[in-house]
Amino acid sequence: MRPRCRNPLQCRNPAVRRLYEDPAYDTSRWPPSHWRASLPAPAPAAPLTGFVRAEVAVIGAGYAGLNAALELARGHGADVVVLDAGQPGWGASGRNGGFCCIGGSKLSDRQIVARVGEGGARDFRDFQHRAIERVAGLLSRHGIAARQGPTGDICIAHSPRALKALAEDAEAKMALYGEETELIPAAALAERGLTGAGFHGAAFSPTGFPIHPLAYAEGLAGVARATGVQLYGQSPVVALAPEGQGWRLTTPQGSVLARRVLIATNGYSSDDLPPWIGGRTLPAQSAVLMTRPLSAAERRAQGFTTPIMSYDTRHLLHYFRHLPDGRFLFGMRGGISAATSAAARTAARVRDDFARMFPAWAAVPVEAEWSGFVCLTGSLAPFVGPVPGAQGLYAAFGWHGNGVAPASLGGVLAAGLIAGRPTPVPALMRIPPRRFPLPPLRRTWLRAAYAVYGLQDGALPRRAA
Ligand SMILES: Cc1cc2nc3c(=O)[nH]c(=O)nc-3n(C[C@H](O)[C@H](O)[C@H](O)COP(=O)(O)OP(=O)(O)OC[C@H]3O[C@@H](n4cnc5c(N)ncnc54)[C@H](O)[C@@H]3O)c2cc1C
């Protein structure tokens, strides 16, 4: 029987209220990613020991938590403590695909308009663009060497029908946001270096850029520290309870008393930290492989040579890009188990899809494979705001697999709210996410959704014999 949290404002043992198997939450080591292997590891952030007082405590040292902490310390002069169960960037922020692009929600533009009107949709779009600028600004202002390629992203149609939908979407984006999208017909893919199996055309948008995600996370952590933020690693918050005018956060070796607290745990959230978040998030796996560097001849042999970050139109999305050193990153959604035994099956599926889409590279050795959690919410939109009914508690989460930029600016917005400043959070992000129906069955829903999506997406091209 799993222990339950009785007082809705108190939480114990968050580790037992997580949705997946334990290996996914093993913060004693880094995931075996190319990012960790390609970057010298900084001195680890020490665990919190003893008692500390702070104006603000942030739980989670990913892009959201670190941006919030930096903004609170620099912009609002606050005294901030950040606690992470692992090290800064240990979560999705240090292991993602590095697409700094438009994102944050799983809703279509039409659904966003239905929820918050055309003005609300434009506000959210403006947030998405400003989020990309936020990351670009941080990198250049602080000399963080994370940028890895040119501006823009390419969405590749996996069927003629998907190409038609891309064309309709481009028209809708022009009408609603005044944004240009360049459509690339199937016949022009080869000359644009976009050849892959089952590619039926594409759409180019002149926004976003690729980054080394861990270089950004660790660079940001360094800037936050230099600004006075106290950053503690290997410090899982195992209890959160109201005390006096604020909150007490307990870790295995210490505790913090803070007036205000930001929950920035996203796909690694516990269902009882705080209990309000329980059942409102659905962590979902995303898995990545990285090849060894491809030679120019190998790149030409496949015909996929564009340096622009790319993804496809499938519900079960694939995303891919060349790194500056010639390595190729290929990632995809899917997988509903984090058990050690499931990791090999997930990796095999990623390799198989990679080989089907890029047959000329099917035999190229893979150097690294890893996975992590993205975070969906019950309302398919992100949330930044106060936790209802819990004075001084705030949350920022639910970036729907595209949080590099949105989590960064989401953290800044959370900082503004915590500091009590007028902060224009887009209406879409102010609505507290709904709970998923029958939360204990969330992985079952996910399995069913994947099955339906798989049917809608159709089979990938067959592997060459
Ligand atoms: C494989 C993969 C590929 C992706 N690719 C892209 C991409 O190309 N582009 C894009 O935009 N997005 C991508 N994403 C999503 C993106 O990485 C996330 O949306 C973003 O990093 C979320 O940042 P965050 O700060 O909200 O959460 P995270 O970076 O996940 O940080 C949450 C932190 O909370 C900590 N934590 C949890 N519980 C506790 C506790 N009780 N006490 C203390 N600490 C705790 C965790 O240790 C973790 O470090 C990808 C994600 C994955 C997994």
Side-chain angles (χ1 to χ4, degrees):
M1 181 79 180
R2 293 183 157 196
R4 296 267 155 175
C5 194
R6 292 215 174 79
N7 179 339
L9 291 181
Q10 287 196 350
C11 324
R12 302 258 168 233
N13 295 326
V16 299
R17 296 294 309 276
R18 283 172 162 147
L19 200 58
Y20 287 83
E21 294 81 1
D22 290 347
Y25 307 103
D26 179 1
T27 53
S28 66
R29 55 199 174 91
W30 285 93
S33 78
H34 164 77
W35 309 126
R36 181 71 287 161
S38 60
L39 205 64
L48 172 73
T49 52
F51 171 68
V52 172
R53 237 177 238 282
E55 285 170 72
V56 184
V58 175
I59 308 178
Y63 302 141
L66 291 171
N67 269 282
L70 175 60
E71 195 63 16
L72 280 159
R74 196 183 50 192
H76 307 286
D79 166 29
V80 189
V81 165
V82 180
L83 301 164
D84 199 285
Q87 290 293 313
W90 178 88
S93 297
R95 62 177 86 184
N96 61 69
F99 287 51
C100 179
C101 58
I102 294 280
S105 163
K106 267 276 168 275
L107 298 169
S108 66
D109 290 320
R110 195 179 301 165
Q111 289 169 314
I112 294 175
V113 169
R115 198 172 288 179
V116 291
E118 289 196 359
R122 286 193 198 99
D123 286 348
F124 183 61
R125 194 66 176 180
D126 182 54
F127 163 84
Q128 292 174 311
H129 282 286
R130 284 190 299 117
I132 294 169
E133 286 161 22
R134 164 77 185 176
V135 179
L138 282 173
L139 300 187
S140 67
R141 211 166 32 252
H142 300 291
I144 301 172
R147 184 157 176 156
Q148 289 196 315
T151 298
D153 73 29
I154 291 176
C155 180
I156 292 172
H158 73 284
S159 66
R161 205 163 139 203
L163 183 61
K164 196 162 161 271
L166 278 182
E168 287 163 6
D169 190 55
E171 270 181 35
K173 289 227 159 32
M174 174 51 90
L176 189 54
Y177 309 123
E179 284 178 17
E180 295 270 5
T181 308
E182 183 199 357
L183 285 171
I184 305 169
L189 287 176
E191 74 200 39
R192 299 287 288 264
L194 290 168
T195 304
F199 290 6
H200 291 267
F204 170 79
S205 304
T207 46
F209 54 90
I211 62 166
H212 187 304
L214 186 57
Y216 169 39
E218 290 188 337
L220 191 57
V223 176
R225 260 202 207 92
T227 313
V229 171
Q230 296 178 64
L231 198 44
Y232 296 100
Q234 312 308 139
S235 300
V237 176
V238 296
L240 173 65
E243 186 173 314
Q245 299 290 303
W247 294 84
R248 184 175 288 269
L249 296 83
T250 307
T251 67
Q253 300 176 60
S255 73
V256 180
L257 196 55
R259 290 291 298 265
R260 292 182 164 74
V261 175
L262 174 65
I263 313 291
T265 47
N266 206 47
Y268 291 85
S269 298
S270 306
D271 268 345
D272 55 0
L273 197 82
W276 169 82
I277 213 170
R280 292 177 205 271
T281 68
L282 173 46
Q285 276 182 323
S286 197
V288 175
L289 69 72
M290 185 76 80
T291 69
R292 66 140 164 78
L294 300 168
S295 67
E298 282 174 319
R299 286 200 293 273
R300 279 196 304 275
Q302 173 56 56
F304 192 88
T305 54
T306 183
I308 298 170
M309 56 192 189
S310 309
Y311 57 99
D312 71 5
T313 44
R314 290 184 173 83
H315 293 292
L316 292 174
L317 173 87
H318 301 87
Y319 47 96
F320 31 91
R321 65 184 178 93
H322 290 286
L323 268 62
D325 66 5
R327 289 183 167 82
F328 193 70
L329 176 150
F330 180 88
M332 60 186 269
R333 301 276 159 75
I336 41 109
S337 171
T340 311
S341 55
R345 286 198 299 276
T346 301
R349 262 205 321 275
V350 180
R351 283 177 189 229
D352 190 52
D353 282 18
F354 168 64
R356 287 168 186 253
M357 291 171 72
F358 299 103
W361 300 333
V364 170
V366 167
E367 282 187 349
E369 291 162 308
W370 67 94
S371 69
F373 290 130
V374 306
C375 181
L376 318 182
T377 69
S379 47
L380 300 182
F383 176 69
V384 173
V387 171
Q391 179 75 30
L393 208 55
Y394 295 78
F397 64 95
W399 318 111
H400 294 87
N402 267 131
V404 171
S408 300
L409 188 59
V412 175
L413 296 183
L417 295 176
I418 290 169
R421 301 283 163 85
T423 304
V425 180
L428 185 73
M429 300 166 64
R430 291 201 301 263
I431 306 166
R434 279 199 301 258
R435 282 213 159 79
F436 284 89
L438 299 174
L441 297 183
R442 277 169 289 171
R443 281 166 70 181
T444 310
W445 305 147
L446 197 57
R447 189 197 298 268
Y450 284 166
V452 173
Y453 288 158
L455 288 174
Q456 289 175 347
D457 287 343
L460 266 73
R462 275 174 199 278
R463 275 186 83 152

